[in-house]
Amino acid sequence: MTLFNKIKEITEIQATSGYEAPMRDYLRARMMELGYTPETDGLGGIFVTKESKTENAPRVMVAAHMDEVGFMVSSIKADGTLRVVTLGGWNPLVVSAQRFTLFTREGKKIPVVTGGLPPHLLRGAAGAPAMPQVEDIIFDGGFMSKEEVLEFGIRQGDVIVPESEAILTANGKNVISKAWDNRYGCLMVLELLDYLKDKELPVTLIIGANVQEEVGLRGAHVSTTQFKPEVFFAVDCSPATDTFGNDNGRLGEGSLLRYYDPGHIMLPGMKDFLLNTAEVNGIKTQAYISKGGTDAGAAHLQNEGVPSTTIGVCARYIHSHQTIFNMDDFTEAQNFIRAIVTTLNQEKIAAIKNY
């Protein structure tokens, strides 16, 4: 299967925060095909432990998150339309006039669109239209009444997930899809497990994906407590800003070295290790300063402190139906995580910790 076909398959799966089962089922099936025995934590994160034969081998965790941003039905109106609360961060300006799938408790899939006012209805309005609030945006499944909505099994608490097809850009270098944040990470861990299946290493690896990252890094608190790694590597996607006149995250410039975000500062020992590993292995990287966080921000505060970082890529217009990202960046990040986990040993982990 080509890289694009793998990306298409994994990004078109619909799984939002608190409704990760479709993505978890996919990961479990792929992990088992590769010969691993996955296990889940109490919230539903899924991980494989690849034990080292080295005595007292240090434990290293590599974790994606499997949830994408979505919505939850908060109310059903008399006219048959729905209102929602967000699952993850949404810019209200990208929500309207889009297609979604609503999942009922019974697993029924209901097509839904978000309503946007046509310009005809804005004529004569005093002043410019106000910025919409997500809670006021109409989610419409074409139902005629609240009673009809209920007849189809729709209830408050049902989740609504973006629907979008992955396609290649005209130059063949980039992909347009939903959910690269963080199906990037999910594909990263699957490709890493495939690469490592016949390799013996001086570290024990815990590789998999957390739940509920988009709603507060929740799954990482649980998994790091359960699996007790000495170091932690999140694999996650961050917003590119190259189309906004900023050089902080550019497509095609390689894997990100995420030095800072509001919940995490990379330790000097980790920075030295990453820079040296990238240089020795010819990995293309770019510095990145973030305004948002990843699971590294939760993991590094667990178990008396776990040195952590993020091995990431950037993508344009994340948390929307149409994200643009570069396939060569994925390859650079994949080469980077391979070099990291096959280079780590007790001595290098001690150096990361003792800066």
Side-chain angles (χ1 to χ4, degrees), residues 153-170:
I154 298 169
R155 298 291 186 272
Q156 289 170 293
D158 289 343
V159 298
I160 297 174
V161 189
E163 181 164 332
S164 179
E165 178 187 3
I167 60 172
L168 274 172
T169 55

Side-chain angles (χ1 to χ4, degrees), residues 46-90:
I46 187 166
F47 292 90
V48 162
T49 301
K50 182 176 172 60
E51 295 282 356
S52 173
K53 294 180 180 178
T54 302
E55 188 177 358
N56 299 318
R59 297 171 64 82
V60 175
M61 193 168 197
V62 179
H65 70 84
M66 66 184 89
D67 54 322
E68 63 184 291
V69 292
F71 299 93
M72 179 179 286
V73 176
S74 60
S75 65
I76 303 169
K77 301 301 182 183
D79 63 2
T81 62
L82 311 171
R83 301 298 185 273
V84 302
V85 293
T86 60
L87 298 174
W90 282 94

Side-chain angles (χ1 to χ4, degrees), residues 64-266:
H65 70 84
M66 66 184 89
D67 54 322
E68 63 184 291
V69 292
F71 299 93
M72 179 179 286
V73 176
S74 60
S75 65
I76 303 169
K77 301 301 182 183
D79 63 2
T81 62
L82 311 171
R83 301 298 185 273
V84 302
V85 293
T86 60
L87 298 174
W90 282 94
N91 175 353
L93 293 176
V94 306
V95 178
S96 294
Q98 299 288 349
R99 287 185 61 191
F100 298 82
T101 302
L102 183 152
F103 293 85
T104 70
R105 179 182 176 186
E106 292 76 24
K108 187 185 298 182
K109 297 181 180 182
I110 306 290
V112 173
V113 300
T114 39
L117 279 175
H120 314 66
L121 299 184
L122 294 174
R123 290 172 186 159
M131 170 75 80
Q133 299 298 307
V134 169
E135 57 266 27
D136 297 325
I137 293 174
I138 297 167
F139 282 71
D140 192 341
F143 299 107
M144 306 308 292
S145 66
K146 180 174 183 178
E147 289 72 24
E148 188 178 24
V149 171
L150 297 176
E151 287 173 8
F152 276 80
I154 298 169
R155 298 291 186 272
Q156 289 170 293
D158 289 343
V159 298
I160 297 174
V161 189
E163 181 164 332
S164 179
E165 178 187 3
I167 60 172
L168 274 172
T169 55
N171 60 12
K173 298 178 181 178
N174 302 311
V175 179
I176 302 172
S177 83
K178 72 170 182 65
W180 196 229
D181 176 15
N182 188 29
R183 304 300 156 71
Y184 150 74
C186 294
L187 186 54
M188 280 275 284
V189 298
L190 289 176
E191 294 290 282
L192 182 60
L193 285 169
D194 190 17
Y195 175 75
L196 294 173
K197 60 186 177 183
D198 298 320
K199 291 180 171 57
E200 294 294 336
L201 300 173
V203 296
T204 288
L205 292 172
I206 304 101
I207 301 175
N210 289 309
V211 297
Q212 298 192 34
E213 190 269 357
E214 296 291 1
V215 290
L217 316 181
R218 298 175 186 177
H221 289 279
V222 175
S223 62
T224 48
T225 300
Q226 176 169 327
F227 293 103
K228 296 179 172 55
E230 291 188 38
V231 291
F232 176 95
F233 296 90
V235 279
D236 206 345
C237 175
S238 300
T241 59
D242 52 358
T243 52
F244 301 100
N246 192 319
D247 64 354
N248 191 43
R250 301 181 66 85
L251 261 60
E253 293 299 315
S255 184
L256 306 182
L257 291 171
R258 190 185 183 102
Y259 293 129
Y260 169 90
D261 67 45
H264 183 268
I265 300 172
M266 189 188 294

